[in-house]
Amino acid sequence: MSEEKESCCVSRRSLLGSGAKIATLTGLAGLGGGMVAGLGGASLIGEARAAEGSADVAPGKIDEYYGFWSGGHSGEVRIVGLPSMRELMRIPVFNRCSATGWGQTNESLKILSEGLTPETKASLAKRGLVTFDQGDTHHPRPSYTDGTYDGRYLFINDKSNTRIARIRLDIMKTDKVIEIPNSHSIHGLRNQRYPKTGYVFCCGEHRIPVPNTGINLTNPKEYVSIYTAVDGDTMKVAWQVMVSGNLDNTDADYAGKYTAATCYNSEEGVTVGEMTASPEDHAVIFNIAAIEAAVKAGKAQKIAGVDVLDGRKAAKSDFTRYIPIPNSPHGCNASPDGKYVMLNGKLSPTVSVVEWAKLDELFAGKITEKQCIVAQPEIGLGPLHTTFDGRGNAYTSVFLDSQIVKWNIADAIKQRSGEKVNPIRQKIDVHYQVGHTNASMAETKEADGKWLVALCKFSKDRFLNVGPLKPENDQLIDISGDQMKLVHDGATFAEPHDAVIVHRSKIKPLDVYKRTDPLFDDLKAMAKADGVDLEADNKVIRDGNKVRVYMTSVAPAFGITDFTVKAGNEVTVVVTNLDNMSDLAHGFTMVGHGVCIEIGPQASASVTFVADRPGVHWYYCQWFCHALHMEMSGRMLVEA
Ligand code: K7E
Ligand code: CUA
């Protein structure tokens, strides 16, 4: 069967030859959808890719873009090279990572626990835990300066435990995690673009009583959802605003004045029927300067130590406005020309285009909310998210139709004002049920319109059958020409809601750690108190029931090849990797103790465990580092 398919491909290749014909066929195959056409399409797409070579990155060649992929409910972030769509790295964030010891090293546990609320810490402590070991990530977003990426940070939400995390892009590691108080399930996340990030805006999706301490349990009318601005530099909550409806997605303008957030469930119900009863929901507009002024003027209440303003509909605040949008809007996407924000209909086939410049007049009371909507093109069934090419076109993912729809913004505005123009440029089938879509640099003023990814929720027949749980299908589309071309299928694991594509010139990661990195400050202080020089000494410090083992590592040996403890001792092993060379990571694994950590070149890392099993326990380096890597080991001797 598979041989037959192979030869079929070969004959097609020799038959067609020219790239143009193949591209046409690829488009046709895409139109079919469904199982049979889906299979046919897959092999043709492979041909197109080989023929055009545009998405191919040859061995040894380097991709032009970093893709930062949400890892969905795996709780991590993945780095994907574009256009090759090769997965380059995983960054553990909210998850426990077996390979790197994230969630096990003392350093990561501190990051994962220190930003939790006192209530959460107490609740976890009752279960013998210091943090959660899972998360549900949706929206990875890099930090900005003046409307484009500045390469400092990447922020991401955890919907499941109401947290956000910050990743340092110089080392591609998580450096801060905080829980957002008063809020419930952070979904939408976007960064301030101008003058810089600045604020990280977070949508608390589900409505709860505030404070959520057992009051108003059965009175949903008293529940609220909360919009939070976090200071991205300090990772402290700056302010919060209570809003009406369930906050979904958000985005910021390019002027530092406004943000918008889509809301479903303006009905404020608690069942699907109640939540979708009304044909109209809304987008909330937040006036940043007015919010800051209200906080300054003392108009906020302090709840859990945070300034919380009432921006609900009934409060008629001077810092929020409610723009009516049809039927449960979902995606919220600012265009790279700095002029518009697209509010995607979900249950309505339309995208509502709001012009940022109109909001000054709206807040001044000169125009109505509806007058801020300058276009409302019909896109297809289930528009979820919109991205841009920087040439005046928008690309909207349409979930029910399984398509990406390219449309022209200027024409959509003309159509709204009565001109007979069709803003739709092209519809391309994707496989299948697409959620987010994003194009290269599309969320910056430097949108370059080269590549677009369509993150499809279902892959069905597109890949080898791997059992009842199928991968998602992240498809790559070439948008550089007049017509979109599907060029690659990429299987991914549960479940990248969203991804951003960043030109490689924006990010400058290090090859080796700097010993001056504040990451190592705690270990340096601990070592100093023990009279140990982290970078030179190999010493065992005994402190009552506690034993601290400081060792260096230089391929292929640990600085300590055996140490002795008493059964029941609490052992802290600190390893400092003295190798000063790109790609020379070591590891420390203690057999039979569930311990396995990464120590990057020039890094220090530590892990604490109880040695309660008398006997000989080998530790070894699990990161292949040298021809004598297997020999890089030592013994922990545990006395009865
Ligand atoms: Cu549309 Cu969480 Cu951005 Cu999923 S979200 S698709
Ligand atoms: Cu060090 Cu392997």
Side-chain angles (χ1 to χ4, degrees), residues 174-254:
T174 306
D175 88 321
K176 284 274 181 198
V177 176
I178 62 165
E179 182 183 357
I180 308 294
N182 304 325
S183 199
H184 206 73
S185 55
I186 297 298
H187 182 239
L189 178 149
R190 285 293 190 284
N191 298 330
Q192 186 178 3
R193 291 193 166 91
Y194 184 87
K196 68 181 267 264
T197 312
Y199 292 131
V200 179
F201 302 104
C202 316
C203 293
E205 179 180 339
H206 293 108
R207 302 170 63 249
I208 49 160
V210 178
N212 195 11
T213 50
I215 54 156
N216 287 327
L217 285 182
T218 53
N219 187 4
K221 290 288 161 208
E222 297 291 313
Y223 299 175
V224 289
S225 55
I226 289 205
Y227 192 73
T228 301
V230 172
D231 179 328
D233 289 316
T234 61
M235 288 295 273
K236 299 252 187 293
V237 174
W239 42 257
Q240 295 187 314
V241 178
M242 295 182 188
V243 302
S244 303
N246 281 42
L247 281 160
D248 197 348
N249 281 288
T250 184
D251 208 353
D253 66 4
Y254 280 75

Coordinates of all heavy atoms in Angstrom, one line a residue, residues 174-254:
T174 N 12.5 30.3 32.0 CA 11.5 31.0 32.8 C 12.2 31.7 34.0 O 13.0 31.0 34.7 CB 10.5 30.0 33.3 OG1 9.9 29.3 32.1 CG2 9.3 30.8 34.0
D175 N 11.9 33.0 34.2 CA 12.6 33.6 35.4 C 11.6 34.1 36.4 O 12.0 34.5 37.5 CB 13.6 34.6 34.9 CG 13.1 36.0 34.7 OD1 11.9 36.1 34.2 OD2 13.7 37.0 35.1
K176 N 10.3 34.2 36.1 CA 9.3 34.7 37.0 C 8.0 34.1 36.7 O 7.6 33.9 35.6 CB 9.1 36.2 36.9 CG 10.3 37.1 37.5 CD 10.0 37.3 39.0 CE 11.2 38.1 39.6 NZ 11.2 38.0 41.0
V177 N 7.3 33.7 37.8 CA 6.0 33.2 37.7 C 5.1 33.8 38.8 O 5.6 33.8 39.9 CB 5.9 31.6 37.8 CG1 4.5 31.1 37.8 CG2 6.8 30.9 36.8
I178 N 4.0 34.4 38.4 CA 3.2 35.0 39.4 C 1.7 34.5 39.2 O 1.3 34.3 38.1 CB 3.2 36.5 39.5 CG1 2.7 37.2 38.2 CG2 4.6 37.0 39.9 CD1 2.4 38.7 38.3
E179 N 1.0 34.4 40.3 CA -0.4 34.1 40.3 C -1.1 35.5 40.3 O -0.6 36.4 41.0 CB -0.8 33.3 41.5 CG -2.3 32.9 41.6 CD -2.6 32.2 42.8 OE1 -1.7 31.9 43.7 OE2 -3.8 31.9 43.0
I180 N -2.2 35.6 39.6 CA -2.9 36.9 39.5 C -4.0 36.8 40.6 O -4.9 36.0 40.5 CB -3.5 37.2 38.1 CG1 -2.5 37.0 37.0 CG2 -4.2 38.5 38.1 CD1 -1.4 38.1 37.0
P181 N -3.9 37.7 41.6 CA -4.9 37.6 42.7 C -6.3 38.1 42.2 O -6.4 38.8 41.2 CB -4.4 38.5 43.8 CG -3.4 39.4 43.1 CD -2.9 38.7 41.9
N182 N -7.3 37.8 42.9 CA -8.7 38.3 42.7 C -9.3 37.8 41.4 O -10.5 38.1 41.1 CB -8.8 39.8 42.7 CG -8.2 40.4 43.9 OD1 -8.4 39.9 45.0 ND2 -7.6 41.6 43.8
S183 N -8.5 37.1 40.6 CA -8.9 36.8 39.2 C -9.1 35.2 39.1 O -8.7 34.5 40.0 CB -7.9 37.3 38.3 OG -8.3 37.3 37.0
H184 N -9.6 34.8 38.0 CA -9.8 33.3 37.8 C -9.6 32.9 36.4 O -10.2 33.4 35.5 CB -11.3 33.0 38.2 CG -11.5 31.6 38.7 ND1 -11.1 31.2 39.9 CD2 -12.1 30.5 38.1 CE1 -11.5 29.9 40.1 NE2 -12.1 29.5 39.0
S185 N -8.6 32.1 36.2 CA -8.3 31.5 34.9 C -7.9 32.6 33.9 O -8.7 33.1 33.1 CB -9.4 30.7 34.3 OG -10.6 31.4 34.3
I186 N -6.6 33.0 33.9 CA -6.1 34.0 32.9 C -6.0 33.4 31.5 O -5.4 32.4 31.3 CB -4.6 34.4 33.3 CG1 -4.6 35.1 34.6 CG2 -4.1 35.3 32.2 CD1 -5.4 36.4 34.7
H187 N -6.8 34.0 30.6 CA -6.8 33.5 29.2 C -6.0 34.5 28.3 O -4.9 34.3 28.0 CB -8.2 33.2 28.7 CG -8.3 32.7 27.4 ND1 -8.9 33.3 26.3 CD2 -7.7 31.6 26.8 CE1 -8.7 32.6 25.2 NE2 -8.0 31.6 25.5
G188 N -6.7 35.5 27.8 CA -6.0 36.5 26.9 C -4.8 37.1 27.6 O -4.8 37.4 28.8
L189 N -3.7 37.3 26.8 CA -2.5 38.0 27.3 C -1.9 38.7 26.1 O -1.7 38.1 25.1 CB -1.5 37.0 27.9 CG -0.2 37.6 28.4 CD1 0.3 36.8 29.6 CD2 0.9 37.6 27.3
R190 N -1.6 40.0 26.3 CA -0.9 40.8 25.3 C -0.1 41.8 26.0 O -0.4 42.2 27.2 CB -1.9 41.5 24.4 CG -2.5 40.6 23.3 CD -1.5 40.1 22.3 NE -2.2 39.5 21.2 CZ -2.8 38.3 21.3 NH1 -2.8 37.6 22.4 NH2 -3.4 37.8 20.2
N191 N 0.9 42.3 25.3 CA 1.8 43.3 25.9 C 1.6 44.7 25.4 O 1.2 44.9 24.2 CB 3.3 42.9 25.6 CG 3.6 41.5 26.2 OD1 3.1 41.2 27.3 ND2 4.5 40.8 25.6
Q192 N 1.9 45.6 26.3 CA 2.0 47.0 25.8 C 3.0 47.2 24.8 O 4.1 46.7 24.9 CB 2.3 47.9 27.1 CG 2.2 49.4 26.8 CD 2.6 50.2 28.1 OE1 2.9 49.6 29.1 NE2 2.5 51.5 28.0
R193 N 2.7 47.9 23.7 CA 3.6 48.0 22.5 C 4.4 49.3 22.6 O 5.5 49.4 22.0 CB 2.9 48.0 21.2 CG 2.3 46.6 20.9 CD 1.8 46.6 19.5 NE 1.5 45.2 19.0 CZ 0.3 44.7 19.1 NH1 -0.7 45.3 19.6 NH2 0.1 43.4 18.7
Y194 N 3.8 50.3 23.2 CA 4.4 51.7 23.1 C 4.2 52.4 24.5 O 3.2 52.3 25.0 CB 3.8 52.5 22.0 CG 4.5 53.8 21.8 CD1 5.6 54.0 21.0 CD2 4.0 55.0 22.5 CE1 6.2 55.2 20.9 CE2 4.6 56.2 22.4 CZ 5.7 56.3 21.6 OH 6.3 57.5 21.4
P195 N 5.2 53.1 25.0 CA 6.6 53.1 24.5 C 7.3 51.8 24.7 O 8.2 51.5 23.9 CB 7.3 54.2 25.3 CG 6.4 54.3 26.6 CD 5.0 53.9 26.2
K196 N 6.9 51.0 25.7 CA 7.5 49.6 25.8 C 6.7 48.7 26.7 O 5.7 49.2 27.3 CB 9.0 49.8 26.4 CG 9.0 50.2 27.9 CD 10.4 50.4 28.4 CE 10.9 49.1 29.1 NZ 10.7 49.1 30.6
T197 N 7.0 47.5 26.8 CA 6.4 46.6 27.8 C 7.3 46.7 29.1 O 8.3 46.1 29.1 CB 6.5 45.1 27.2 OG1 6.0 45.1 25.9 CG2 5.7 44.2 28.1
G198 N 6.9 47.5 30.0 CA 5.6 48.0 30.2 C 4.6 47.0 30.8 O 5.0 46.0 31.4
Y199 N 3.4 47.3 30.5 CA 2.3 46.5 31.0 C 2.2 45.2 30.2 O 2.4 45.1 29.0 CB 1.0 47.2 30.9 CG 0.8 48.4 31.9 CD1 0.3 49.6 31.4 CD2 1.1 48.3 33.2 CE1 0.2 50.7 32.2 CE2 0.9 49.4 34.1 CZ 0.4 50.6 33.6 OH 0.3 51.6 34.4
V200 N 1.8 44.1 31.0 CA 1.3 42.9 30.4 C -0.1 42.8 30.8 O -0.5 42.8 32.0 CB 2.1 41.7 30.9 CG1 1.6 40.4 30.3 CG2 3.6 41.8 30.7
F201 N -1.0 42.7 29.8 CA -2.4 42.8 30.0 C -3.0 41.3 30.0 O -2.7 40.6 29.1 CB -3.1 43.6 29.0 CG -2.6 45.0 28.9 CD1 -1.8 45.4 27.9 CD2 -3.0 45.9 29.9 CE1 -1.3 46.7 27.8 CE2 -2.5 47.2 29.8 CZ -1.7 47.6 28.8
C202 N -3.7 41.0 31.1 CA -4.2 39.7 31.3 C -5.7 39.6 31.5 O -6.2 40.3 32.4 CB -3.5 39.1 32.5 SG -1.8 39.4 32.7
C203 N -6.4 38.7 30.8 CA -7.8 38.6 30.9 C -8.2 37.4 31.9 O -7.9 36.3 31.6 CB -8.4 38.3 29.6 SG -8.3 39.6 28.4
G204 N -8.8 37.7 33.0 CA -9.3 36.7 33.9 C -10.7 36.3 33.3 O -11.6 37.1 33.2
E205 N -10.7 35.1 32.8 CA -11.9 34.7 31.9 C -13.1 34.4 32.7 O -14.2 35.0 32.5 CB -11.5 33.5 31.1 CG -12.7 33.0 30.2 CD -12.3 31.8 29.3 OE1 -11.1 31.6 29.1 OE2 -13.2 31.1 28.9
H206 N -13.0 33.5 33.7 CA -14.2 33.1 34.4 C -14.6 34.1 35.5 O -13.8 34.7 36.1 CB -14.0 31.7 35.0 CG -13.9 30.6 33.9 ND1 -12.7 30.0 33.7 CD2 -14.8 30.1 33.1 CE1 -12.9 29.2 32.7 NE2 -14.2 29.2 32.3
R207 N -15.9 34.3 35.7 CA -16.4 35.2 36.6 C -16.6 34.5 38.0 O -17.0 33.4 38.1 CB -17.8 35.7 36.2 CG -17.7 36.4 34.8 CD -19.1 36.7 34.2 NE -19.8 37.6 35.0 CZ -20.9 37.3 35.7 NH1 -21.4 36.1 35.7 NH2 -21.5 38.3 36.4
I208 N -16.1 35.2 39.0 CA -16.2 34.7 40.4 C -16.5 35.8 41.3 O -16.4 37.0 41.0 CB -14.8 34.1 40.8 CG1 -13.7 35.1 40.5 CG2 -14.5 32.8 40.2 CD1 -12.4 34.9 41.3
P209 N -17.0 35.4 42.5 CA -17.2 36.5 43.6 C -15.8 37.0 44.0 O -14.8 36.3 44.0 CB -17.8 35.7 44.7 CG -18.1 34.3 44.3 CD -17.3 34.1 43.0
V210 N -15.7 38.3 44.2 CA -14.4 38.9 44.6 C -14.7 39.7 45.9 O -15.5 40.5 46.0 CB -13.9 39.9 43.6 CG1 -12.6 40.5 44.1 CG2 -13.6 39.2 42.3
P211 N -14.0 39.3 47.0 CA -13.1 38.2 47.2 C -13.8 36.8 47.1 O -14.9 36.7 47.5 CB -12.4 38.4 48.5 CG -13.5 39.2 49.3 CD -14.2 40.0 48.3
N212 N -13.1 35.8 46.7 CA -13.7 34.5 46.5 C -13.4 33.6 47.7 O -12.7 32.7 47.7 CB -13.0 33.9 45.2 CG -13.8 32.7 44.7 OD1 -14.9 32.4 45.1 ND2 -13.2 31.9 43.8
T213 N -14.2 34.0 48.8 CA -13.9 33.3 50.1 C -15.2 32.7 50.6 O -15.3 32.6 51.8 CB -13.4 34.4 51.1 OG1 -14.3 35.5 51.0 CG2 -12.0 34.9 50.7
G214 N -16.1 32.3 49.7 CA -17.3 31.6 50.2 C -18.5 32.4 50.2 O -19.6 31.9 50.5
I215 N -18.4 33.7 49.8 CA -19.6 34.5 49.7 C -20.1 34.4 48.3 O -19.4 34.1 47.4 CB -19.3 36.0 50.1 CG1 -18.1 36.5 49.2 CG2 -19.0 36.2 51.5 CD1 -18.1 38.0 49.0
N216 N -21.4 34.7 48.2 CA -22.1 34.8 46.9 C -21.9 33.5 46.0 O -21.8 33.6 44.8 CB -21.6 36.0 46.1 CG -22.1 37.3 46.6 OD1 -23.2 37.4 47.1 ND2 -21.3 38.3 46.5
L217 N -21.8 32.4 46.7 CA -21.6 31.2 45.9 C -22.6 30.9 44.8 O -22.2 30.6 43.7 CB -21.6 30.0 46.9 CG -20.4 29.8 47.8 CD1 -20.5 28.5 48.6 CD2 -19.1 29.7 47.0
T218 N -23.8 31.1 45.2 CA -24.9 30.8 44.2 C -25.6 32.0 43.6 O -26.7 31.9 43.1 CB -26.0 29.9 45.0 OG1 -26.4 30.7 46.1 CG2 -25.4 28.6 45.4
N219 N -24.9 33.1 43.6 CA -25.5 34.3 43.0 C -24.6 34.8 41.9 O -23.9 35.8 42.1 CB -25.7 35.4 44.1 CG -26.4 36.6 43.6 OD1 -26.9 36.6 42.4 ND2 -26.5 37.6 44.4
P220 N -24.7 34.2 40.7 CA -23.8 34.5 39.6 C -23.8 36.0 39.2 O -22.9 36.5 38.6 CB -24.2 33.6 38.5 CG -25.0 32.5 39.1 CD -25.6 33.1 40.4
K221 N -24.9 36.7 39.5 CA -25.0 38.1 39.1 C -24.0 38.9 39.8 O -23.6 40.0 39.4 CB -26.4 38.6 39.4 CG -27.5 38.0 38.4 CD -27.4 38.6 37.0 CE -28.1 37.7 36.0 NZ -27.6 37.7 34.7
E222 N -23.5 38.4 41.0 CA -22.5 39.1 41.7 C -21.1 38.7 41.4 O -20.1 39.3 41.9 CB -22.7 38.8 43.2 CG -24.0 39.3 43.8 CD -24.1 40.8 43.9 OE1 -23.2 41.4 44.4 OE2 -25.1 41.4 43.4
Y223 N -20.9 37.8 40.5 CA -19.6 37.4 40.0 C -19.0 38.5 39.1 O -19.8 39.2 38.4 CB -19.6 36.1 39.2 CG -20.1 34.8 39.9 CD1 -20.2 33.7 39.2 CD2 -20.4 34.8 41.3 CE1 -20.7 32.5 39.7 CE2 -20.9 33.6 41.8 CZ -21.0 32.5 41.1 OH -21.5 31.3 41.6
V224 N -17.7 38.6 39.1 CA -17.1 39.5 38.1 C -15.9 38.8 37.4 O -15.2 37.9 38.0 CB -16.6 40.8 38.8 CG1 -17.7 41.7 39.2 CG2 -15.6 40.5 39.9
S225 N -15.5 39.3 36.3 CA -14.2 38.9 35.7 C -13.3 40.2 35.8 O -13.8 41.3 35.8 CB -14.3 38.4 34.3 OG -15.0 39.3 33.5
I226 N -12.0 39.9 35.8 CA -11.1 41.0 36.1 C -10.0 41.1 35.1 O -9.4 40.1 34.7 CB -10.5 40.8 37.5 CG1 -11.6 41.1 38.6 CG2 -9.2 41.6 37.7 CD1 -11.1 41.5 39.9
Y227 N -9.8 42.3 34.6 CA -8.7 42.7 33.7 C -7.5 43.2 34.5 O -7.6 44.1 35.3 CB -9.2 43.8 32.7 CG -8.4 44.0 31.5 CD1 -8.3 43.1 30.5 CD2 -7.6 45.2 31.4 CE1 -7.6 43.4 29.3 CE2 -6.9 45.5 30.2 CZ -6.9 44.5 29.2 OH -6.1 44.8 28.1
T228 N -6.3 42.6 34.2 CA -5.2 42.9 35.1 C -4.1 43.5 34.2 O -3.8 43.0 33.1 CB -4.7 41.6 35.8 OG1 -5.7 41.1 36.6 CG2 -3.5 41.9 36.7
A229 N -3.4 44.5 34.7 CA -2.2 45.0 34.1 C -1.0 44.6 35.1 O -1.0 45.0 36.2 CB -2.2 46.5 33.9
V230 N -0.1 43.9 34.6 CA 1.1 43.5 35.4 C 2.3 44.3 34.8 O 2.4 44.5 33.6 CB 1.4 42.0 35.2 CG1 2.7 41.6 35.8 CG2 0.3 41.1 35.7
D231 N 3.1 44.8 35.7 CA 4.3 45.5 35.3 C 5.3 44.4 34.9 O 5.8 43.6 35.7 CB 4.9 46.3 36.5 CG 6.2 47.1 36.1 OD1 7.0 46.5 35.3 OD2 6.4 48.1 36.7
G232 N 5.6 44.4 33.6 CA 6.5 43.3 33.0 C 7.9 43.4 33.6 O 8.6 42.4 33.5
D233 N 8.4 44.5 34.1 CA 9.7 44.6 34.6 C 9.8 44.0 36.0 O 10.8 43.3 36.3 CB 10.2 46.0 34.6 CG 10.5 46.5 33.1 OD1 11.1 45.7 32.4 OD2 10.0 47.6 32.8
T234 N 8.8 44.4 36.8 CA 8.8 43.9 38.2 C 8.0 42.6 38.5 O 8.2 42.0 39.5 CB 8.3 45.0 39.2 OG1 6.9 45.2 38.8 CG2 9.1 46.3 39.1
M235 N 7.2 42.3 37.5 CA 6.2 41.2 37.6 C 5.3 41.4 38.9 O 5.1 40.4 39.6 CB 6.9 39.9 37.6 CG 7.5 39.5 36.2 SD 6.2 39.3 35.0 CE 5.8 37.5 35.2
K236 N 4.9 42.6 39.1 CA 3.9 42.9 40.2 C 2.7 43.4 39.5 O 2.8 44.1 38.5 CB 4.5 44.0 41.1 CG 5.8 43.6 41.8 CD 5.5 43.3 43.3 CE 6.7 43.1 44.1 NZ 7.5 41.9 43.8
V237 N 1.5 43.1 40.1 CA 0.3 43.6 39.5 C 0.2 45.1 39.7 O 0.5 45.7 40.8 CB -0.9 43.0 40.2 CG1 -2.2 43.6 39.8 CG2 -0.9 41.5 39.9
A238 N 0.0 45.9 38.6 CA -0.1 47.3 38.7 C -1.5 47.8 39.1 O -1.7 48.6 39.9 CB 0.3 47.9 37.3
W239 N -2.5 47.2 38.4 CA -3.9 47.6 38.7 C -4.8 46.5 38.1 O -4.4 45.7 37.3 CB -4.3 49.0 38.2 CG -3.8 49.4 36.9 CD1 -2.8 50.2 36.6 CD2 -4.3 49.0 35.6 NE1 -2.6 50.4 35.2 CE2 -3.6 49.6 34.6 CE3 -5.4 48.2 35.2 CZ2 -3.8 49.5 33.2 CZ3 -5.6 48.0 33.8 CH2 -4.9 48.7 32.9
Q240 N -6.1 46.5 38.6 CA -7.1 45.6 38.0 C -8.3 46.4 37.8 O -8.6 47.4 38.5 CB -7.3 44.4 39.0 CG -6.1 43.5 39.2 CD -6.4 42.3 40.0 OE1 -7.1 42.4 41.0 NE2 -5.9 41.2 39.5
V241 N -9.1 45.9 36.8 CA -10.4 46.5 36.5 C -11.5 45.4 36.4 O -11.3 44.4 35.7 CB -10.4 47.3 35.2 CG1 -11.8 47.9 34.9 CG2 -9.3 48.4 35.2
M242 N -12.5 45.6 37.2 CA -13.7 44.7 37.1 C -14.4 45.0 35.8 O -14.7 46.2 35.5 CB -14.6 44.9 38.3 CG -14.1 44.5 39.6 SD -15.4 44.8 40.8 CE -14.5 44.6 42.3
V243 N -14.8 43.9 35.1 CA -15.6 44.2 33.9 C -16.8 43.3 33.9 O -16.9 42.3 34.6 CB -14.8 43.9 32.6 CG1 -13.6 44.8 32.6 CG2 -14.4 42.5 32.4
S244 N -17.8 43.6 33.0 CA -19.0 42.8 32.7 C -18.7 41.8 31.6 O -18.0 42.1 30.7 CB -20.1 43.7 32.3 OG -20.4 44.7 33.3
G245 N -19.2 40.6 31.8 CA -19.0 39.5 30.8 C -17.8 38.7 31.1 O -17.1 39.0 32.0
N246 N -17.6 37.7 30.3 CA -16.4 36.8 30.4 C -15.3 37.4 29.5 O -15.4 37.3 28.3 CB -16.6 35.4 30.0 CG -17.4 34.6 31.1 OD1 -18.3 35.1 31.7 ND2 -17.0 33.4 31.3
L247 N -14.2 37.9 30.1 CA -13.1 38.4 29.3 C -12.5 37.2 28.5 O -12.2 36.1 29.1 CB -12.0 39.0 30.2 CG -12.3 40.4 30.7 CD1 -11.4 40.6 31.9 CD2 -12.0 41.4 29.6
D248 N -12.2 37.4 27.2 CA -11.6 36.4 26.4 C -10.2 36.8 26.0 O -9.2 36.4 26.6 CB -12.5 36.1 25.2 CG -12.3 34.7 24.6 OD1 -11.3 34.1 24.9 OD2 -13.1 34.3 23.8
N249 N -10.1 37.5 24.8 CA -8.8 37.9 24.4 C -8.6 39.4 24.4 O -9.6 40.1 24.6 CB -8.6 37.4 22.9 CG -8.2 35.9 22.9 OD1 -7.1 35.6 23.2 ND2 -9.1 35.1 22.5
T250 N -7.4 39.8 24.3 CA -7.1 41.3 24.4 C -6.0 41.7 23.5 O -5.2 40.8 23.0 CB -6.7 41.7 25.9 OG1 -6.6 43.1 26.0 CG2 -5.4 41.0 26.3
D251 N -5.9 42.9 23.2 CA -4.7 43.4 22.5 C -4.5 44.9 22.8 O -5.5 45.6 23.2 CB -4.8 43.2 20.9 CG -3.4 43.1 20.3 OD1 -2.4 43.3 21.0 OD2 -3.3 42.7 19.1
A252 N -3.3 45.4 22.5 CA -3.0 46.8 22.8 C -2.8 47.6 21.5 O -2.5 47.0 20.5 CB -1.7 46.8 23.7
D253 N -3.0 48.9 21.6 CA -2.7 49.7 20.4 C -1.2 50.0 20.2 O -0.4 49.4 21.0 CB -3.5 51.0 20.5 CG -3.0 51.9 21.6 OD1 -2.0 51.5 22.3 OD2 -3.6 53.0 21.8
Y254 N -0.8 50.8 19.3 CA 0.6 51.1 19.0 C 0.9 52.5 19.6 O 2.0 53.0 19.3 CB 0.9 51.0 17.5 CG 1.1 49.6 17.0 CD1 0.0 48.7 16.8 CD2 2.4 49.1 16.8 CE1 0.2 47.4 16.4 CE2 2.6 47.8 16.3 CZ 1.5 47.0 16.1 OH 1.7 45.7 15.7

